[in-house]
């Protein structure tokens, strides 16, 4: 049985005051639903503060990106090895904002995925199609290409220690959530694609849905057989909304 995972991606948002307020407000709802795994991905500057605030909590920490190198002359970057010191468990990789705004291609995503696993952290591999690709019925081909790029360089076994997040680009930050049926169709295609290479890994891997998930839409999504949780952006910044998503997963 796959555990539901609710992960907040704070993106480029936060301040010291906001971090302590939001974490303070999330501890009780997370503790009230111990069957749901909860994680938050604040900006790296706040990982130290978040780690301290979460010392007595089961809420896990994630980072939003990692460089593909562990150290060196790479100005402005942060590495998965560094995250180990901050109690980080998950690292997002291949988020559509990184793919588009930072020109990260499939090969870069695959290399970052490897660097995250080499540091014994769990990559959360984000995949998903643009609106034009969705309208051209290319969703399945796009997500399979994005998955194949990671599998070709890291092997199918790498997916045994990873999480997948299906995030249709047209649903991110737009208020347009994919319907549970649309999301379920793609999640099932993802699982079937993986099952062709390893049925056990396909059955066990958590596949999160992301794209304008909120307290009202979460339950319908989580009721679907192949949706194992959510990667939440905007609604993760509001304690009440994020708490409602956590309780929808219980
Ligand atoms: P959103 O972001 O919930 O604001 O659409 C999701 C994401 O980008 O992970």
């Amino acid at each position: 049985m796959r555990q539901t995972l609710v992960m907040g991606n704070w993106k480029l948002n936060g301040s010291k005051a906001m971090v302590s307020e939001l974490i303070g407000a999330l501890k009780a709802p997370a503790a009230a639903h111990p069957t749901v795994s909860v994680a938050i991905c604040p900006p790296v500057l706040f990982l130290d503060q978040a780690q301290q605030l979460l010392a007595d909590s089961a809420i896990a920490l994630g980072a939003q990106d990692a460089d593909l190198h562990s150290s060196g002359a790479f100005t402005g970057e942060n590495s998965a090895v560094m995250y180990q010191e901050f109690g980080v468990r998950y690292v997002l990789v291949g988020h559509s904002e990184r793919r588009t705004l930072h020109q990260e291609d499939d090969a870069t995503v695959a290399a970052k995925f490897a660097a995250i696993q080499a540091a014994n952290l769990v990559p959360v591999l984000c995949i998903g199609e643009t609106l034009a690709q969705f309208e051209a019925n290319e969703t399945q081909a796009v997500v399979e290409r994005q998955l194949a790029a990671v599998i070709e360089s890291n092997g199918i076994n790498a997916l045994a220690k990873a999480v997948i997040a299906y995030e249709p680009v047209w649903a991110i930050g737009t208020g347009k959530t994919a319907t549970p049926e649309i999301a379920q169709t793609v999640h099932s295609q993802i699982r079937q694609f993986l099952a062709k290479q390893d049925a056990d890994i396909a059955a066990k891997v958590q596949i999160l849905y992301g794209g304008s998930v909120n307290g009202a839409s979460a339950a319908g999504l989580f009721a679907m057989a192949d949706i194992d949780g959510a990667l939440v952006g905007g609604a993760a910044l509001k304690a009440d909304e994020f708490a409602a998503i956590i309780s929808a997963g219980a």
Side-chain angles (χ1 to χ4, degrees), residues 18 32 41 59 65 78 80 97 140 143 153 165 180-181 186 193 204 216 219 227 238:
M18 180 269 219
C41 307
I59 297 175
D65 179 42
N78 297 287
E97 286 151 20
Q140 184 172 5
V143 298
S153 55
E181 291 73 23
V186 183
F193 178 76
K204 286 184 181 149
I227 300 181
K238 298 174 199 142

Side-chain angles (χ1 to χ4, degrees), residues 106-143:
D106 283 340
T108 304
V109 172
K112 288 188 169 193
F113 184 104
I116 295 161
Q117 285 195 328
N120 285 319
L121 305 184
V122 179
V124 179
L125 174 63
C126 304
I127 56 176
E129 81 288 0
T130 63
L131 181 59
Q133 290 165 334
F134 175 73
E135 288 175 346
N137 277 324
E138 290 169 6
T139 301
Q140 184 172 5
V142 170
V143 298

Side-chain angles (χ1 to χ4, degrees), residues 9 11 95 97 167 171-173 211-213 231-234:
N9 172 12
K11 308 191 179 184
H95 189 282
E97 286 151 20
E167 299 202 297
I172 294 177
S212 298
V213 177
L231 181 57
V232 185

